[in-house]
Amino acid sequence: VQLQASGGGLVQAGDSLRVSCAASGDTFSTPVMAWFRQAPGQERDFVVAITWSGQNTDYADSVKGRFTISRDNAKNTVYLQMNSLKPEDTAVYFCAAGRAYSRYSNDYPYWGQGTQVTVSS
């Protein structure tokens, strides 16, 4: 499974941004998709996960109510809509794929290259 993240950029606090993750390969073997983020000098943190059907989602408290994950299985693409962005949302955002519906990065064997999101105050 190969993952390609895109859509990052530089925005101001309060703005919105959507990042995408396109998957290719044996995507049926990795029904769960997730986003993690890593700020400079910090560990990679869980942001959100979504199951294949899209009916189950799990958000980190820090983004709940501001971020929305969705997926289009026909396009093998997962989207992360980020609203009301804050400077503390600044990080490299990574998409990940796996079988387990989990908040732990070790449960995701496949990772995209990351896309930078920078929120200025």
Side-chain angles (χ1 to χ4, degrees), residues 36-45 90-94 116:
F36 289 75
R37 65 186 183 185
Q38 188 168 19
Q42 298 188 19
E43 295 184 351
R44 191 169 297 187
D45 292 329
T90 295
V92 177
Y93 284 71
F94 297 90
Q116 176 71 46

Side-chain angles (χ1 to χ4, degrees), residues 102-121:
S102 168
R103 292 187 168 205
Y104 298 100
S105 59
N106 288 342
D107 287 331
Y108 294 89
Y110 302 101
W111 292 82
Q113 84 287 4
T115 185
Q116 176 71 46
V117 173
T118 303
V119 185
S120 64
S121 58

